[in-house]
Amino acid sequence: TRWTAGMILTFIAFLCFFIPSLLQESPSRADFAAVNEATTAGLDMTAYPAADQSLIRSKLGLDPSRYQGVAFYRSLNAMDAEEMLVIQYDPSQKQEVVDKVNARIQSQKDIYKGYAPEQLETLNQAVVSVHPNYLLYVTGPQARQAESQFEEAL
C-alpha cells in the first residue's frame, strides 16, 4: 500500500505541475489591424484622436517599432484623461508592456488627483485587458464597450 500511495502522490504532483501550463491562454493569431478596427467599431472616436509615434513614446514610454502593432488614441484636451491603447507584442514583451501601462495610469492619477477628481475617477475605472500577445488599455465612458469588442476580436 505504500507503493500505491507513493504512486498516487507522484501522479497528483505531476498533475499539479502540468495542468496549469495546459490551461494557459495561447497567443491570438488575429491580425492587428482587424483587432484594432473591431475594438474601435461603433465608438465615438472624436474623444480619442489617433496619436503619432512620438506621442506614444513620450506618453507611454513605448517604442512602436519594437512591437507588432500599436494604436494609441488620446484626447487633445490635457484636462481630459480619455485614452486608448491597442498593442500587439511578442509574448516575451508582455510584462514590459503591462509595466508601462501601469506606470502611465499611475502617472495620470498623480496628475489629476490634485485638481480634477472626475478625471481621477475615470482613471480609477480604467480597463486593462491583458492577453499573451495583446493588450487593451482604455479610459472613459466607452471603456467597457471597447473591452467587449476587443475580447471578441481576439
Side-chain angles (χ1 to χ4, degrees):
T1 60
R2 280 187 168 158
W3 185 83
T4 305
M7 289 301 292
I8 290 172
L9 287 175
T10 302
F11 182 71
I12 291 171
F14 176 80
L15 288 177
C16 290
F17 183 74
F18 283 104
I19 291 218
S21 64
L22 295 175
L23 299 177
Q24 286 182 350
E25 180 182 6
S26 61
S28 172
R29 291 193 242 188
D31 175 68
F32 176 78
V35 170
N36 188 47
E37 185 177 323
T39 301
T40 59
L43 299 181
D44 178 4
M45 293 304 288
T46 56
Y48 305 99
D52 63 16
Q53 292 194 0
S54 65
L55 198 60
I56 295 168
R57 283 186 189 95
S58 69
K59 299 293 183 191
L60 297 164
L62 296 169
D63 178 358
S65 67
R66 293 189 57 233
Y67 305 99
Q68 296 166 347
V70 180
F72 183 52
Y73 307 92
R74 166 126 180 75
S75 173
L76 297 175
N77 181 352
M79 296 292 293
D80 191 352
E82 289 189 43
E83 54 190 21
M84 178 174 10
L85 171 70
V86 180
I87 184 168
Q88 181 184 17
Y89 45 81
D90 183 272
S92 67
Q93 297 170 306
K94 177 179 166 181
Q95 192 58 53
E96 170 190 336
V97 172
V98 169
D99 290 347
K100 296 283 187 178
V101 167
N102 287 334
R104 173 64 179 170
I105 293 169
Q106 188 56 54
S107 168
Q108 290 291 88
K109 285 180 178 182
D110 292 344
I111 290 169
Y112 290 118
K113 75 178 170 192
Y115 67 91
E118 69 285 346
Q119 298 305 315
L120 181 60
E121 187 55 32
T122 295
L123 287 161
N124 286 334
Q125 295 177 17
V127 169
V128 180
S129 180
V130 182
H131 296 272
N133 64 328
Y134 271 96
L135 179 140
L136 169 71
Y137 154 58
V138 60
T139 63
Q142 303 177 104
R144 295 290 173 210
Q145 180 182 351
E147 178 185 30
S148 173
Q149 292 172 181
F150 173 75
E151 299 285 337
E152 198 172 300
L154 295 181

